[in-house]
Amino acid sequence: MSLLSVRDLTVSYKLQSGEVPAVRGVNFDIEKGEVLGLAGESGCGKSTIASAILRLLPEGTKVGGEVLLENENILEMKPGKLRAVRWTEASIIFQGAMHALNPVKRIGDQIAEPILIHQQADEKEAMVRVGGLLEEVGLPQRRLRDYPHELSGGQKQRVMIAMALACNPSLVIADEPTTALDVMVQAQVLKLLKELQRDLGLAMLFITHDLSVLAEVSDRLAIMYAGRIVEQGPAEPVFTDPKHPYTRALAGAFPAIGDAQYRMKPSGLGGDPPDPQNIPSGCSFHPRCPVVVAECSDTDPILYPAGESRSAACLLVRQPAGASTTSEVPGD
Amino acid sequence: MGTRRYLFTKVMQAFFTLVFVVCFNFFLFRILPGDPARILARNKLQPAEAVAEMVRDFGLDQPLFPGQFVNYIGDTVRGNFGISYKFHRPVTEVIQQRFWRTVLLLGVSTLIFTVLGILIGIWGAWRRGSAFDIGSHTFSLIGYSMPEFWLGLLLLIMFAVIIPIFPVGGITTTSPEYTGLRAIYDVAGHMVLPTLTLVLAYIGQYAIVMRSSLLDVLGEDYVQTARAKGLRDVHVRRRHAVPNALLPTVTLIALNLGFLVGGAITVETVFSWQGLGLLEYEALRTPDYPLLQGLFILFSVAVIAANLIADLLYGYLDPRVRVA
Amino acid sequence: MSTPSQVVGDIPKNARQIAWIRRRRALKRSWRTFRGSPMGMIGLVILTIFALTAVFAPLLAARSGLSPVTAPGQPFQPPSGQYWFGTDHQGRSVLTLVIWGSRVSLAIGLIATLISVFIGSIVGILAGFFGGWRDVSLMRLTDWFLVIPFLPLVIVLASVMGGGVGGGGLGLTAFVIGITSWPSSARLVRSQTLTVKERPYVERARALGASNWHLITRHILPNVGPIIFANTILIVAIAILSETTLAFLGFGDPNAISWGRVLDEAFGNGAVIAGNWWWVIPPGVAVVLVVLAFTLIGYALDEILNPRLRRR
């Protein structure tokens, strides 16, 4: 039984202009201690998934499907149970720690808060725990008396990580944890996350638009486009031998420093991600696809098997070797 | 040490503002167009010697600098503002007698409309779009557009004349004179309508500001973080959202103090509440220049002091300004 | 570099024309957005009604109704078929007073606002544009003025200049309100000037050798203009409230009927004691409606100029 099982997740926002489908049927599993990387451009719905898992979306948002955490469906939990589960079983490291910390409270209090809320310790013990957590993320203990504005971007992110670990969750959702940081700091924070994940045996959902980051950190990868997963599989094969044209473009878009060949290979992708209210017919990627064929504009591909534990939602993947059946690949 | 520097800066600023006001007050009455003696004597049929005496009293026969100015500073520092034309007593004495009545009225009103206004604003933001929210927002807008004294007149006609529940004016009933507990009850009765007027007039602004700043705060990421941590909505609001949303409200309180003084003047006039506001009205109808001058300084000092308190309070609430 | 020579039709002749065409388009867009705001439209409708009342006052109510000598009614009469709002202490129809009062109240409000915004804008632009010690000193001055309580200051000024109650004309009231309410405009204009000053086209113009005057009039002003305009609307609301209060306290020309003056006369002639609600309510309602109208329009304009993301 997987730690986290997402089944047919759909999320639609209600705007003045109508309903906007941000997530259109997503399936994936995360095992205990496994890191699943979720990649895609802005607007593809990955951050929405992060919020959806713990039911943090704004009121009025339509959510369908199931989110099974330890086999219990979060989407149907009663409020009391939901609050108890939040942070103790799964926590989030939010995008942009600049604003995710309360500016008028000391960070020590903010880290201790979930510990006290979930009654895992009394005040004194909680502060001791906080000190320990700060050290784990590489900050001196005395910093717990500081206010967020007294910390640098990288330090704030470390505080967010410490806070996410406060109640010993089994799953940590990291939503673009390094995006807003300088490159040097990015590397440090990434290293920290890797170590913590390994030492504590955490399961992680690592969300980012930077595929090269994921290649280092994840066990498995899932690539998202226009609200759906278009490719998934073990990290290395997906990165080095992508089956979906979009993945190929993403993988090529991020230069590896020192890769002399990169400058010679044209890569990158023209056009913009589709407007969620105006998703193209057939395969949502076909207007930008470099290997598009006629069928692509009227047939909507599902995830076809593409190798060992791999799948990709591309009609061209379906074709080879005659053994193509349009059988659905469950997200295993 | 950031805190100490912040404190020092704010106190210094208040002090310099005070100095400016004192000097400004001097020029107001002396350097404006027109011969000061004529200004003093306008609207009064005074024989020449009486005017000459006023000129001497006012020290206007001395050169402006340094003579008059030095005298003025000396007098002001000692609290000597001369003799009131209307009451024929020292200005300071006249003011002192009426001082606490205004403090009572303004103090109680401010407490009520600040607290209630904030609560209404919070509730309106939390239940955005509800009947309560729309209702309170509309009510606030109307209250903002209304001259406070007009509201006072209406309340007076409504509840003191047409339906005679409350007295028509004054602070106490003159006959019979009450003592002890009955006296307190009597004053309270007289206080209801003027307090109600001030509360209704100003509560709207606080509700609006609190509501909009809370709405802004609710969109911030750290509120999301708080919810994700498993806090109940009540606690998210109380511990994270409101403390941040209060900051603009404190600023507003400071900004509004000047207008509150104006409100006190007109409302006390309407209700014949013999405090400093009514005193200002009586002074301007005379016109009693020494009294006007003294009151002007007093009102300005009060607003400066209150602004300083508000600044300090803000510094306490928001750690970010202490470092800046 | 060649300037495109004159061509027939819509094609603009030079950069100046392009700028104006763009501005006109932006104006049309703003108007359309404004039309979509219910608050703004309500405010506009109310304001139009009052503006028309003020302009066409002589057609709506006989001027003779203002003079106590020629006023036809009996004093202190409650509303009736003939006098919808009853009469005042001199037998004048309160309705007539309210209609004619719109002229004075609106006029003083507008004049005072023009003075206030004019001073405030100059101070704000100078402080924001030049910066340095000029900025610091101007802003220090502004802050000091902001602290001084408004009504006591106005009372003192009006007293000293006009010799107290009953003296001084309409101009004085407008003038006094104008010179005491400029600080808030100044701050707003200054911060907007600072924003505009940092924009790339200003830097470019400066690099090309534009004079300060050119920069201010051709670049800063047109971009600060809309904000000034929106702010002006809100200031009018405050000015009218201030005028009403001052008139109530007794300032201004006693023969000029403004809504505040009517309330002053009502109060001074025992309307309260006698329970003459018809005398007190209409002028006040008029003030509330007009001030509300300006406030609503001001908010709607603010929404247009500072669009915030529509939170669901």
Side-chain angles (χ1 to χ4, degrees):
Chain A
M1 183 196 72
S2 319
L3 175 62
L4 179 72
S5 237
V6 173
R7 297 259 163 279
D8 249 332
L9 183 64
T10 55
V11 179
S12 296
Y13 290 112
K14 256 188 15 202
L15 291 188
Q16 287 199 333
S17 36
E19 258 185 42
V20 179
V23 177
R24 310 184 294 136
V26 159
N27 294 279
F28 61 84
D29 287 357
I30 303 183
E31 307 296 332
K32 280 195 180 49
E34 181 184 39
V35 178
L36 175 67
L38 187 59
E41 287 167 296
S42 327
C44 68
K46 40 191 214 301
S47 286
T48 305
I49 292 185
S51 300
I53 292 180
L54 285 178
R55 269 169 72 179
L56 290 170
L57 295 165
E59 248 183 72
T61 315
K62 281 195 14 206
V63 181
E66 292 185 327
V67 174
L68 300 170
L69 187 62
E70 305 261 15
N71 231 13
E72 277 188 71
N73 187 359
I74 293 191
L75 299 181
E76 298 196 338
M77 277 184 193
K78 291 212 152 72
K81 178 81 200 249
L82 176 64
R83 272 183 270 119
V85 160
R86 280 181 180 158
W87 226 252
T88 53
E89 289 183 32
S91 64
I92 306 190
I93 299 174
F94 282 103
Q95 192 171 17
M98 324 301 131
H99 306 294
L101 291 171
N102 189 337
V104 302
K105 286 176 85 148
R106 298 183 204 271
I107 58 165
D109 293 331
Q110 298 192 48
I111 300 179
E113 190 177 27
I115 303 178
L116 295 170
I117 297 272
H118 295 283
Q119 291 167 326
Q120 297 186 348
D122 65 24
E123 277 196 41
K124 273 181 116 153
E125 289 172 24
M127 290 322 270
V128 171
R129 270 262 274 276
V130 169
L133 285 164
L134 283 177
E135 281 191 355
E136 267 185 65
V137 298
L139 290 172
Q141 280 203 31
R142 57 183 159 77
R143 289 296 221 159
L144 57 77
R145 289 191 48 83
D146 284 353
Y147 288 98
H149 65 273
E150 296 175 275
L151 301 171
S152 73
Q155 290 170 325
K156 277 192 270 216
Q157 198 62 290
R158 289 170 192 266
V159 168
M160 289 295 294
I161 295 175
M163 198 160 69
L165 299 174
C167 296
N168 298 318
S170 16
L171 170 69
V172 172
I173 305 170
D175 187 1
E176 308 261 19
T178 55
T179 306
L181 303 171
D182 301 331
V183 178
M184 297 302 295
V185 183
Q186 259 191 39
Q188 291 171 357
V189 171
L190 214 50
K191 186 155 153 264
L192 175 66
L193 278 172
K194 261 168 64 175
E195 284 172 7
L196 287 170
Q197 187 269 329
R198 202 187 43 217
D199 296 342
L200 300 171
L202 296 169
M204 253 212 262
L205 176 61
F206 200 113
I207 300 176
T208 177
H209 63 273
D210 184 348
L211 202 52
S212 53
V213 162
L214 286 185
E216 275 188 60
V217 154
S218 337
D219 299 319
R220 307 188 68 247
L221 277 184
I223 315 291
M224 268 191 84
Y225 188 79
R228 294 228 184 106
I229 293 185
V230 296
E231 178 159 7
Q232 30 174 355
E236 223 219 301
V238 170
F239 190 65
T240 51
D241 177 29
K243 299 289 185 197
H244 192 285
Y246 179 61
T247 317
R248 248 174 264 143
L250 262 191
F254 293 94
I257 297 181
D259 180 0
Q261 286 196 336
Y262 175 75
R263 285 169 46 210
M264 305 305 147
K265 281 189 285 188
S267 49
L269 200 53
D272 293 311
D275 175 8
Q277 293 181 293
N278 255 326
I279 297 181
S281 60
C283 171
S284 52
F285 185 59
H286 85 258
R288 298 165 81 187
C289 184
V291 295
V292 60
V293 300
E295 227 191 321
C296 297
S297 49
D298 14 57
T299 315
D300 195 1
I302 54 175
L303 282 163
Y304 305 112
E308 197 168 314
S309 312
R310 294 183 62 173
S311 55
C314 179
L315 296 177
L316 298 176
V317 167
R318 184 186 52 171
Q319 263 149 22
S324 61
T325 31
T326 49
S327 56
E328 225 181 271
V329 179
D332 269 321
Chain B
M1 358 80 296
T3 322
R4 233 170 287 152
R5 184 148 56 104
Y6 177 76
L7 262 167
F8 180 72
T9 317
K10 288 298 165 186
V11 171
M12 279 284 100
Q13 278 177 2
F15 177 71
F16 281 118
T17 313
L18 187 57
V19 168
F20 169 75
V21 167
V22 168
C23 298
F24 182 69
N25 189 28
F26 174 77
F27 291 107
L28 264 190
F29 284 92
R30 321 255 162 157
I31 296 226
L32 282 173
D35 171 24
R38 250 197 325 115
I39 294 178
L40 291 179
R42 205 183 305 202
N43 284 345
K44 290 155 130 22
L45 302 163
Q46 300 268 4
E49 323 136 5
V51 175
E53 193 180 324
M54 265 202 296
V55 168
R56 260 195 313 263
D57 277 342
F58 234 91
L60 291 172
D61 50 347
Q62 297 219 22
L64 210 53
F65 272 126
Q68 284 195 39
F69 190 65
V70 171
N71 288 345
Y72 167 76
I73 298 291
D75 284 338
T76 306
V77 167
R78 263 174 293 144
N80 172 19
F81 292 102
I83 309 287
S84 153
Y85 291 167
K86 177 167 166 138
F87 297 95
H88 307 292
R89 293 200 325 269
V91 164
T92 342
E93 199 183 297
V94 175
I95 291 182
Q96 242 169 349
Q97 186 190 27
R98 312 252 215 150
F99 180 73
W100 289 106
R101 302 171 184 169
T102 301
V103 169
L104 177 65
L105 180 61
L106 283 187
V108 171
S109 309
T110 307
L111 200 61
I112 298 179
F113 66 62
T114 313
V115 170
L116 274 187
I118 290 179
L119 288 177
I120 292 178
I122 293 179
W123 195 252
W126 202 255
R127 294 267 172 274
R128 187 188 190 200
S130 67
F132 176 83
D133 182 29
I134 299 184
S136 60
H137 199 89
T138 313
F139 169 78
S140 302
L141 269 179
I142 296 182
Y144 176 79
S145 313
M146 201 184 285
E148 334 76 6
F149 66 87
W150 181 68
L151 181 60
L153 289 172
L154 283 185
L155 287 176
L156 207 46
I157 293 185
M158 203 27 32
F159 297 110
V161 179
I162 297 187
I163 312 173
I165 314 177
F166 294 105
V168 176
I171 302 187
T172 53
T173 319
T174 36
S175 63
E177 271 199 41
Y178 296 114
T179 50
L181 206 60
R182 290 211 70 188
I184 297 182
Y185 190 71
D186 183 42
V187 172
H190 282 85
M191 218 169 94
V192 169
L193 287 183
T195 308
L196 187 61
T197 307
L198 285 173
V199 165
L200 288 177
Y202 292 107
I203 198 173
Q205 291 170 26
Y206 292 87
I208 290 185
V209 168
M210 189 64 198
R211 175 185 178 275
S212 84
S213 84
L214 189 56
L215 283 178
D216 282 342
V217 164
L218 286 176
E220 296 281 348
D221 291 340
Y222 54 84
V223 170
Q224 184 82 311
T225 310
R227 283 178 67 207
K229 285 198 249 181
L231 271 88
R232 302 169 145 260
D233 279 356
V234 175
H235 292 150
V236 172
R237 198 183 351 161
R238 224 184 280 161
R239 293 190 209 167
H240 291 269
V242 169
N244 280 281
L246 269 181
L247 301 175
T249 313
V250 171
T251 312
L252 176 73
I253 294 179
L255 284 176
N256 254 1
L257 287 161
F259 292 105
L260 185 58
V261 169
I265 296 177
T266 54
V267 168
E268 283 192 10
T269 304
V270 165
F271 289 95
S272 311
W273 182 272
Q274 295 107 340
L276 298 177
L278 183 57
L279 191 59
E280 173 92 358
Y281 179 69
E282 292 169 355
L284 72 86
R285 290 206 98 109
T286 311
D288 187 345
Y289 289 104
L291 190 52
L292 279 177
Q293 203 166 16
L295 282 171
F296 180 73
I297 292 277
L298 178 62
F299 288 143
S300 302
V301 168
V303 174
I304 294 175
N307 266 307
L308 180 61
I309 296 178
D311 275 340
L312 297 181
L313 182 62
Y314 193 94
Y316 171 72
L317 290 174
D318 186 353
R320 289 169 289 186
V321 297
R322 286 182 242 154
V323 186
Chain C
M1 182 204 83
S2 58
T3 0
S5 51
Q6 158 138 30
V7 185
V8 190
D10 304 311
I11 302 178
K13 283 185 258 186
N14 53 32
R16 195 88 168 282
Q17 279 203 338
I18 298 180
W20 275 113
I21 290 178
R22 272 201 212 121
R23 265 176 224 140
R24 241 178 309 156
R25 239 180 264 149
L27 222 73
K28 267 191 225 142
R29 240 181 295 138
S30 305
W31 170 241
R32 241 176 287 139
T33 322
F34 185 83
R35 267 221 308 257
S37 155
M39 286 202 315
M41 288 314 285
I42 294 178
L44 194 58
V45 166
I46 297 178
L47 183 58
T48 314
I49 296 178
F50 276 97
L52 291 174
T53 308
V55 168
F56 293 112
L59 297 179
L60 296 166
R63 193 191 268 271
S64 59
L66 289 181
S67 162
V69 177
T70 55
Q74 289 296 308
F76 301 112
Q77 293 303 303
S80 60
Q82 197 185 17
Y83 299 110
W84 293 357
F85 290 156
T87 61
D88 72 348
H89 63 304
Q90 290 173 327
R92 299 179 288 188
S93 160
V94 174
L95 179 59
T96 307
L97 293 173
V98 171
I99 291 178
W100 281 87
S102 61
R103 291 192 155 190
V104 176
S105 295
L106 284 175
I108 296 189
L110 286 172
I111 298 175
T113 303
L114 286 175
I115 298 176
S116 165
V117 172
F118 183 69
I119 302 178
S121 303
I122 292 187
V123 169
I125 291 184
L126 287 180
F129 186 78
F130 287 109
W133 64 267
R134 289 189 198 97
D135 182 15
V136 171
S137 47
L138 280 174
M139 279 304 113
R140 201 42 60 89
L141 188 69
T142 310
D143 284 339
W144 283 334
F145 264 100
L146 272 177
V147 173
I148 298 181
F150 180 70
L151 196 58
L153 175 61
V154 165
I155 286 176
V156 165
L157 278 175
S159 278
V160 173
M161 291 179 155
V165 162
L170 298 179
L172 182 67
T173 315
F175 177 70
V176 166
I177 296 178
I179 61 173
T180 47
S181 50
W182 60 264
S184 56
S185 300
R187 309 215 78 189
L188 186 68
V189 171
R190 172 183 174 270
S191 72
Q192 190 66 8
T193 305
L194 286 175
T195 314
V196 173
K197 195 173 72 155
E198 300 307 318
R199 293 208 183 129
Y201 53 81
V202 175
E203 235 183 275
R204 259 181 253 140
R206 206 192 284 263
L208 287 174
S211 69
N212 282 338
W213 178 253
H214 177 102
L215 285 171
I216 293 182
T217 49
R218 294 280 181 80
H219 292 283
I220 307 273
L221 263 184
N223 287 288
V224 177
I227 298 276
I228 295 185
F229 181 66
N231 180 242
T232 306
I233 304 284
L234 290 172
I235 301 266
V236 177
I238 299 180
I240 294 183
L241 274 177
S242 306
E243 188 279 325
T244 308
T245 307
L246 282 180
F248 175 73
L249 291 175
F251 288 107
D253 187 348
N255 293 320
I257 302 294
S258 72
W259 294 324
R261 167 74 57 218
V262 175
L263 289 173
D264 176 34
E265 288 177 349
F267 182 61
N269 287 289
V272 170
I273 311 279
N276 293 357
W277 52 269
W278 56 87
W279 196 358
V280 171
I281 294 187
V285 169
V287 172
V288 171
L289 285 177
V290 169
V291 172
L292 193 60
F294 277 108
T295 309
L296 288 177
I297 297 178
Y299 279 172
L301 283 179
D302 194 53
E303 282 259 318
I304 296 179
L305 295 171
N306 299 322
R308 256 176 245 149
L309 292 163
R310 291 217 158 271
R311 243 174 273 118
R312 192 206 65 81

